[in-house]
Amino acid sequence: MTAPEITTEEQIELDKALYDALNPLASAIRSRETGQPVDRMWDANPVEVALSVLAAWKVMDAEVRRLAGQAAATAGSYGASYEQLGAVWGITRQGARKKWPDAVTRPASAAGTRTLALFGGSAELVRASSGDWSWEGTGADGTSSAAADGVRYATPEEAAAHAGAFLKEHALDLDGRS
């Protein structure tokens, strides 16, 4: 697999989604920096406003790098090589090893648990001796839960999907509320 290319229409949709995600973060950063209420926080020198937006992009960039690292580790845990990771990212095998040094060290099926960190919470995906998977986790709001008694999933991806839905439901918004 090589680095994907996107169509013009996909680029437009991606830009829109990124700006939709950026605006609340930029507003929160700007409001904190100025102490202004939401309806006045953009009343400032245009340079200061533009720098607030740039600060929000820096936060998003760090989050994208963190999430890309998680994706690389997930791919590595299922058997992807550094050569494959590098090809997808448009870098060499050595570059992928440097970028994600621990991504390929975890065997796909030997470990009985995996950690899923999303939306400020985390969940452990647990493999039973039967080979089925379950999960237990704590959301960003402090709520703990697990797969219902007796519910097991055939794959770690299925368990991760259910755990991820729980973590999303118990995420905090930009104001620290669930």
Side-chain angles (χ1 to χ4, degrees):
M1 178 177 221
T2 59
E5 303 226 357
I6 63 174
T7 66
T8 301
E9 293 80 18
E10 291 168 334
Q11 182 68 57
I12 291 167
E13 286 299 313
L14 178 60
D15 287 353
K16 181 183 179 319
L18 289 172
Y19 279 108
D20 287 348
L22 179 79
N23 284 333
L25 178 62
S27 294
I29 290 170
R30 184 76 191 138
S31 182
R32 276 194 308 274
E33 287 178 354
T34 65
Q36 295 289 330
V38 174
D39 62 338
R40 302 244 11 244
M41 66 188 161
W42 296 104
D43 295 342
N45 178 313
V47 171
E48 292 174 12
V49 171
L51 290 173
S52 295
V53 172
L54 182 61
W57 280 119
K58 181 173 180 10
V59 170
M60 285 186 68
D61 179 57
E63 283 303 297
V64 167
R65 281 186 270 121
R66 182 182 65 80
L67 293 171
Q70 286 181 352
T74 299
S77 75
Y78 292 118
S81 67
Y82 279 115
E83 184 175 358
Q84 291 170 307
L85 295 176
V88 167
W89 205 253
I91 58 178
T92 65
R93 173 184 54 82
Q94 296 88 345
R97 185 183 309 266
K98 183 176 180 181
K99 187 170 199 60
W100 304 297
D102 298 324
V104 178
T105 60
R106 297 182 301 204
S109 60
T113 63
R114 297 180 186 165
T115 301
L116 176 67
L118 292 171
F119 308 109
S122 65
E124 291 292 321
L125 308 179
V126 181
R127 186 173 192 181
S129 59
S130 64
D132 293 335
W133 290 83
S134 184
W135 67 271
E136 57 184 63
T138 303
D141 65 359
T143 303
S144 294
S145 189
D149 283 340
V151 174
R152 297 290 178 258
Y153 306 100
T155 66
E157 295 86 358
E158 188 179 2
H162 288 273
F166 164 78
L167 294 174
K168 182 177 182 182
E169 185 177 324
H170 294 280
L172 299 178
D173 64 16
L174 289 175
D175 294 325
R177 297 181 303 235
S178 57

